[in-house]
Amino acid sequence: MKKTLKKSIHYSRDIQKKVKWFVEYKNSKTKQIAQQAVDLQLLTSKKVLMLVPHADDELIGGSQLIKSFGSNLSAFYFGFLGPNPPENSAQIRLSELKSSSEKLKLRFRASTGRHIEELSELIADTKPEIIALPFLIDWQPEHLQSGIILDRAILEVQHQFPSYQPQICMYQISVPITEKFITHYLPMSKAEHSSKWKVFHDVYTSQSYIPSLRFIFQERISGQCLGHYAAEVFALSSFTEWRTRLRKVVEYDIKKFRLDKKIGNIKHIRKASQRVSEEFLV
């Protein structure tokens, strides 16, 4: 009886969240057009290295990136697990990433923990023209940590190859890249969008608690401001520009903006992202 009641309460709360997000999504639809944004398909001849802090970031932030660049894209998996991970979490997440990669046809290298050394070696060997990683404006500290590691790794590479200057492509996870800061995008049709999230639910069973509908609505909003059903969006810049922005974020301590308290509200997190981006990305 108690189990049935708990399930009923959980189901009711889940429905309430979904209805809440739907209303927020409807109220957040924008008529503003991201006129400066360019289809990333125009750059698919370039070699890309995608940084994956957590297993599932590659799918949430870059399923279309992986699909579009094909054999020109490979990934580096940090293996971050967040605070207090469950027992065997590392093995489970790596196994799920392997399943995701099979479906996405993604080649990746998993770090053994020597992140800076391994990443600098990989960059020196492959010389990617574009390096993709999560958006700097984020509440998740391990996403920011991946940027700090990348900065150090590139400086190591530049000791050997002083002229090496990759472009940096930030991809969206849970904090949206708002219209003013989208430089590039990859559109998704309704079928492509549904397929992406079906893969997520099929593969990442350990992440069933992730509120995927909230992510889905953010991608719909992104697509609508670009004239498409949905879209994965990106902020592309030079390494020098990105490094300056990284330092500003690290020095200020972005936690003061309390993005983690706004992330559950589609409208509020978009406003917060816009405000913080204006602080650090211009």
Side-chain angles (χ1 to χ4, degrees):
M1 182 68 178
K2 286 184 179 180
K3 286 184 179 180
T4 303
L5 182 59
K6 284 182 179 179
K7 284 183 179 179
S8 178
I9 292 171
H10 177 77
Y11 179 76
S12 176
R13 287 176 178 170
D14 188 49
I15 293 296
Q16 288 174 12
K17 279 185 179 179
K18 289 178 178 179
V19 170
K20 169 180 170 290
W21 288 329
F22 179 75
V23 171
E24 290 167 2
Y25 158 67
K26 286 291 187 180
N27 290 334
S28 299
K29 283 186 174 182
T30 178
K31 293 180 180 178
Q32 182 178 346
I33 303 298
Q35 295 179 338
Q36 78 285 356
V38 175
D39 192 330
L40 201 57
Q41 288 276 0
L42 296 173
L43 300 179
T44 52
S45 62
K46 293 182 179 290
K47 188 187 297 183
V48 178
L49 175 63
M50 184 180 193
L51 304 189
V52 180
H54 309 95
D56 76 9
D57 288 338
E58 84 294 341
L59 180 54
I60 294 173
S63 69
Q64 302 307 295
L65 190 69
I66 296 164
K67 176 182 175 183
S68 297
F69 282 79
S71 60
N72 278 342
L73 184 146
S74 61
F76 180 84
Y77 172 51
F78 287 92
F80 293 144
L81 301 171
N84 306 312
E87 189 177 355
N88 298 324
S89 182
Q91 295 91 333
I92 291 168
R93 299 300 296 279
L94 180 57
S95 175
E96 289 174 335
L97 176 59
K98 287 178 179 177
S99 296
S100 170
S101 297
E102 287 175 7
K103 291 179 181 293
L104 297 173
K105 297 180 173 60
L106 170 67
R107 295 176 293 112
F108 75 90
R109 173 177 172 178
S111 173
T112 64
R114 297 177 295 112
H115 301 312
I116 297 173
E117 181 182 346
E118 292 172 332
L119 184 55
S120 61
E121 287 175 358
L122 179 60
I123 293 171
D125 288 344
T126 60
K127 306 288 193 320
E129 297 162 273
I130 299 174
I131 299 179
L133 78 169
F135 190 36
L136 270 178
I137 309 306
D138 203 318
W139 63 274
Q140 166 52 264
E142 289 172 332
H143 288 169
L144 182 59
Q145 185 64 22
S146 69
I148 294 169
I149 292 168
L150 173 63
D151 181 46
R152 293 175 182 170
I154 290 180
L155 290 178
E156 288 292 322
V157 173
Q158 288 176 336
H159 287 315
Q160 288 181 271
F161 306 100
S163 63
Y164 178 65
Q165 287 281 340
Q167 288 183 289
I168 303 297
C169 179
M170 296 185 289
Y171 60 83
Q172 176 178 296
I173 301 293
S174 57
V175 176
I177 303 173
T178 53
E179 294 83 345
K180 182 179 177 181
F181 297 95
I182 298 170
T183 66
H184 292 75
Y185 67 93
L186 288 168
M188 287 181 282
S189 66
K190 186 174 183 179
E192 288 170 328
H193 199 217
S194 297
S195 176
K196 166 180 176 169
W197 287 99
K198 183 180 186 305
V199 171
F200 176 84
H201 291 126
D202 288 347
V203 169
Y204 283 109
T205 55
S206 73
Q207 306 302 294
S208 59
Y209 64 89
I210 285 181
S212 58
L213 186 61
R214 197 181 73 212
F215 291 74
I216 287 167
F217 283 144
Q218 292 289 11
E219 290 175 337
R220 290 291 311 279
I221 294 170
S222 295
Q224 286 155 11
C225 81
L226 293 159
H228 296 280
Y229 177 81
E232 289 180 351
V233 293
F234 310 92
L236 193 73
S237 68
S238 70
F239 171 64
T240 302
E241 289 173 324
W242 172 82
R243 191 174 190 224
T244 299
R245 294 165 179 173
L246 172 70
R247 286 178 169 179
K248 287 169 69 176
V249 169
V250 171
E251 287 172 7
Y252 184 85
D253 185 2
I254 202 168
K255 288 185 290 187
K256 293 177 183 177
F257 285 99
R258 299 176 67 81
L259 295 174
D260 58 324
K261 303 299 181 184
K262 301 177 178 71
I263 199 70
N265 185 298
I266 289 172
K267 190 172 184 178
H268 291 173
I269 194 59
R270 292 192 75 83
K271 286 184 176 179
S273 178
Q274 178 73 19
R275 185 173 70 254
V276 181
S277 296
E278 288 171 348
E279 181 81 21
F280 293 113
L281 303 187
V282 294

